[in-house]
Amino acid sequence: MGDHHHGPATGVTRWLFTTNHKDIGTMYLWFSFAMFLLGGFFAMVIRAELFQPGMQLVEPAFFNQMTTLHGLVMVFGAIMPSFVGLANWLIPMMIGAPDMALPRMNNWSFWILPPAFLMLASTLFMEGGAPAFGWTFYAPLSTTYAPPSVTFFIFAIHILGVSSIMGSINIIATVMNMRAPGMTYMKMPMFVWTWLITAFLLVAVMPVLAGAVTMMLMDIHFGTSFFSAAGGGDPVLFQHIFWFFGHPEVYIIILPAFGVVSQIIPAFSRKPLFGYASMVYATASIAFLSFVVWAHHMYTVGMPVAGELFFMYATMLIAVPTGVKVFNWISTMWRGSLSFETPMLFSIGFLVLFTLGGFTGLMLSIAPADFQYHDTYFVVAHFHYVMVAGAVFSMTAAVYYWLPKWCGRMYSESMGKIHFWISFIGFNITFFPQHFVGLAGMPRRIPDYALQFADFNMMSSIGAFIYGASQLLFLYNVIATIVSGERVSDEKVWDGAEGLEWTVPTPAPYHTFEEPPLVSKPAGTF
Amino acid sequence: MGRIFSGVPLALFASFTAAQNQVNMSPGVTEIGADIFELHMLIMWICVVIGVAVFAVMFYSIYAHRKSRGHEASQFHESTKVEIAWTVVPFLILIAMAVPATSTLLEVYDNDEAELDVLITGHQWKWKYEYLDETGENISFFSNLTTPQEEIYNTEAKGDHYLLEVDEPLVIPTNTKVRFLITANDVIHSWWVPELAVKRDAIPGFINEAWTRVPQEGIYRGQCTELCGAYHGFMPVVVHAVSPEEFQAWQAAKRGAAQAESQLALQTLSADELMAQGKAVYETACVACHGAQGEGGIGNAIAGSSVVMGDLSQHMAIVAKGVAGTAMQAFDAQLNEVELAAVLTYQRNAFGNNTGDIVQPGDVTGMNNG
Ligand SMILES: [Cu+2]
């Protein structure tokens, strides 16, 4: 124990060889922000091309590469690693542990990510171009008809999967074994709970994704026919496997976001989280249900009617636990003492827009109506409401909320508020009109469109540029805070904040809880 | 479910809906389309009502319970009763939604007793329609986008049906139950016509079923809705619903034309005729991959190609049989002898190739047979 009382190493080796959860958390967060900017740049290309009807800037084939990479980079490079970074920083501090349970593996699970994304991005410069089959990479477009770079794509996905699985095992091991005395499961902060459940989901479905890409690899290079009817396979099998991974995947993205707002809303309401136990049960039921609804992404593939009915009913059911969560958050605010600092603004933005995305999700679950919605911009609008306004807004809230604890300096509140309002307005200008064009019949993933969709598409593009620009403001605000923000030394930073991470000094020292704290109060109470 | 659900919103939407900026789903022209539309509106209004109620509570709280107004936080954090209530009530609402959803779905799946069968095959990037007929005299044709490259690349003004126009639409009779058998030749496509409320994936190696009964004559437009490669956005669906009598006449004319074509194949055509038709064929069937100026793209350049300017039989073989393992398909199944001869002549003389070679339908027939 004694030799643990040292600070970080110096120079680049500090980052290369570090096993410190805070260092690794920081690297995850910066990496995911870089990926967010890259994926955002791809989105800007897409929206610039769609600004007006007619082909303007890029060729259709390149357009498809942009949509594909945008999706892959945002899901696997930006959103998922950002929440892993948050978990690294916060879980040990929230449960009173000195570090993650498996620190060397922690280092490894981060450091294999950058090469994977470098490889994925390098496909843009390969002969035949980058993968152009959408982030869902349906066979046979992604096998028989794929560009040669697909092999690199498969390798990259494998690495990402390995990284995610290692990260999840680490989180599970940490939460199960390293809680401070008295920190029972039902006293854990919601963020820890949602991550624990998410980690189980990841361990369960990442191997399925690995299986899918391995089967693709076999079909492409080793003469098998998993996904080709000509050899006795079935292209729809690919979709079943993909969505068996893909549906839990969307909950993998959103559950930690639920955890974040469940920490922030009570803090700025100065009131404990309403219905803690029901939140835990709701999260667990959502996770369970997420395994039996995958084919709602496939209502039009020609499933038997009994299958359609099963998946429709199961999907509709998810609305119940999700509703419970929304009601609980609002009850937490009810008769609190509310203030609206930037983290709270982003959390309320999350609450409103995520609920909207939830409603369109319920509409999409209705199989016969989905025959009209499927693969249109209505779906694009829906999942950006849950992914961007859900996951990204909550992640942004988290950064503003914990940044002062991390670096001991306060961000600029007025710039934070401006960032919120520009994001909120830009986001809605971008994605709200997409509901309209989708219902009116515009398919997704097309580089050019019929004239009746022109006005709303232009609006969407303008909104996207606004939303994109607002992220640069965020970057500036974060850097300015770290470099020259006003110093804070209050352990609590926020008067309403609760939890062990607010009991350590500010900024959080390199090593925390080398001696485990004693926990007596239940989580979230005063 | 009652018409009330669509009445109010329709009026609401109509007020700010120019033909240009449609904001809602089309109620469609078929019975199923109307049912799906009703269902969509029902669910949407339930969501709106719940959303307004929930957010009203939230915004009231934001207004009334703020710290800046001096509101003190109370510390309640549990109530089993309300938790049970807001689990059970949404569940009941869901059951209310599931009932009409189930009955509409069963209707969609009722593929029996069709009076006409049409086989629809998705190709990169066009649809093929084949009318299945007991007599074996199937009518079949490809339906290609006709929007000119100049409109797509903004050098000419865009027409009214920009990207939603084809050379030969699918023709179906009104008031007849038409069954679509949907499949694909290469990758997965999806055949969608919003106003008929029919969307079904076209999956290579498998056949899906869907059906419609169109009560009204008219032209209904849609698009491929499953990403199918570079030109996914350029394979529209156009359905022309005509009266049964007109449909009969159209079928007869189609069969007659097929015979005339085979007659024409025996004739010798002039260079001008071949070039004109060749240009037309090139611009529908080849331009997507080989470029408007023969400059290439997905396919290689035609301008200056040694294959095109070289030995005719090799050129012909590539066009007729395709190049295995590449996007270059076998066009003998898609084009007749006259069209093949015309497009070969055109490629050999356009884009500065100027070989002066004329290919006659007879040459192609000879090649196909030998
Ligand atoms: Cu297609």
Side-chain angles (χ1 to χ4, degrees), chain A residues 303 336 338 373-374 448 452, chain B residues 20 40 67 71 109 162 199:
Chain A
M303 263 185 294
L338 305 175
Y373 307 138
H374 179 68
D448 193 8
Q452 67 263 35
Chain B
Q20 268 284 311
H40 156 73
K67 194 180 168 213
H71 195 271
Y109 265 77
Y162 179 68
K199 181 187 288 152

Side-chain angles (χ1 to χ4, degrees), chain B residues 239-301:
Chain B
V239 177
H240 202 161
V242 299
S243 69
E245 300 74 47
E246 218 179 305
F247 179 71
Q248 292 296 335
W250 174 81
Q251 269 191 316
K254 265 316 252 186
R255 295 210 168 94
Q259 263 166 7
E261 298 256 331
S262 51
Q263 290 298 313
L264 203 61
L266 303 175
Q267 293 173 10
T268 304
L269 300 173
S270 76
D272 286 348
E273 279 172 308
L274 285 165
M275 284 298 280
Q277 189 167 1
K279 184 171 196 305
V281 173
Y282 185 84
E283 282 173 0
T284 47
C286 323
V287 73
C289 300
H290 290 293
Q293 304 307 323
E295 74 277 17
I298 291 179
N300 34 19

Side-chain angles (χ1 to χ4, degrees), chain A residues 87-108:
Chain A
N88 258 293
W89 252 104
L90 295 174
I91 288 178
M93 279 169 40
M94 284 179 161
I95 61 173
D99 205 311
M100 296 295 279
L102 309 162
R104 284 170 208 279
M105 189 162 91
N106 205 9
N107 171 294
W108 187 229

Side-chain angles (χ1 to χ4, degrees), chain B residues 122-127 187-190 224-229 231-232 235:
Chain B
H123 287 248
Q124 278 182 327
W125 289 281
K126 55 192 157 255
W127 294 100
V187 299
I188 300 177
H189 303 263
S190 189
C224 175
T225 43
E226 181 63 61
L227 177 62
C228 57
Y231 295 90
H232 162 55
M235 52 182 291

Side-chain angles (χ1 to χ4, degrees), chain A residues 6-338:
Chain A
H6 56 66
T10 50
V12 66
T13 54
R14 162 176 177 185
W15 302 105
L16 273 180
F17 302 138
T18 183
T19 54
N20 180 287
H21 73 104
K22 299 187 182 78
D23 280 353
I24 294 173
T26 303
M27 291 195 294
Y28 263 113
L29 289 171
W30 277 114
F31 174 75
S32 61
F33 196 81
M35 289 297 113
F36 184 55
L37 293 182
L38 180 67
F41 172 73
F42 295 150
M44 295 300 111
V45 175
I46 295 170
R47 282 315 327 171
E49 175 56 51
L50 293 175
F51 190 70
Q52 282 185 325
M55 298 308 300
Q56 318 282 349
L57 298 172
V58 298
E59 285 300 308
F62 188 74
F63 181 89
N64 289 345
Q65 299 175 26
M66 287 291 104
T67 54
T68 305
L69 289 180
H70 165 70
L72 290 170
V73 166
M74 286 304 198
V75 169
F76 293 105
I79 299 180
M80 289 174 67
S82 73
F83 281 107
V84 180
L86 210 56
N88 258 293
W89 252 104
L90 295 174
I91 288 178
M93 279 169 40
M94 284 179 161
I95 61 173
D99 205 311
M100 296 295 279
L102 309 162
R104 284 170 208 279
M105 189 162 91
N106 205 9
N107 171 294
W108 187 229
S109 63
F110 171 75
W111 274 113
I112 59 178
L113 279 184
F117 277 95
L118 210 62
M119 186 157 69
L120 188 62
S122 72
T123 57
L124 271 172
F125 307 101
M126 290 178 188
E127 177 138 8
F133 31 62
W135 86 277
T136 52
F137 50 101
Y138 282 6
L141 191 61
S142 62
T143 53
T144 321
Y145 294 83
S149 63
V150 66
T151 308
F152 292 90
F153 155 83
I154 291 173
F155 193 24
I157 294 285
H158 268 304
I159 301 176
L160 305 182
V162 170
S163 164
S164 288
I165 291 173
M166 291 197 299
S168 311
I169 291 176
N170 209 346
I171 287 169
I172 294 172
T174 308
V175 174
M176 300 232 284
N177 299 305
M178 300 190 49
R179 281 168 289 122
M183 175 65 80
T184 60
Y185 280 110
M186 290 311 271
K187 280 184 192 168
M188 293 193 314
M190 268 317 287
F191 179 72
V192 180
W193 254 117
T194 53
W195 242 119
L196 179 63
I197 292 172
T198 302
F200 276 105
L201 285 182
L202 272 167
V203 171
V205 301
M206 279 323 232
V208 178
L209 177 67
V213 292
T214 306
M215 287 154 101
M216 281 169 59
L217 189 77
M218 301 290 284
D219 274 10
I220 294 169
H221 293 295
F222 302 107
T224 57
S225 305
F226 290 107
F227 306 133
S228 153
D234 182 351
V236 178
L237 172 67
F238 175 86
Q239 298 183 25
H240 282 294
I241 299 175
F242 179 82
W243 286 113
F244 188 83
F245 147 79
H247 198 78
E249 167 69 19
V250 305
Y251 290 96
I252 286 166
I253 287 173
I254 206 66
L255 292 184
F258 288 170
V260 166
V261 295
S262 302
Q263 302 297 132
I264 296 177
I265 290 179
F268 295 95
S269 305
R270 295 168 180 79
K271 185 163 162 279
L273 182 67
F274 186 84
Y276 173 85
S278 72
M279 284 297 226
V280 173
Y281 302 140
T283 311
S285 355
I286 291 176
F288 170 76
L289 283 173
S290 76
F291 282 106
V292 291
V293 298
W294 76 86
H296 68 213
H297 297 271
M298 305 163 53
Y299 283 142
T300 60
V301 298
M303 263 185 294
V305 68
E308 301 254 325
L309 287 173
F310 171 81
F311 286 108
M312 174 167 85
Y313 298 149
T315 307
M316 293 171 76
L317 262 188
I318 292 196
V320 174
T322 313
V324 166
K325 289 193 158 274
V326 172
F327 299 142
N328 280 343
W329 288 318
I330 291 177
S331 309
T332 306
M333 291 164 70
W334 187 253
R335 295 190 25 225
S337 173
L338 305 175

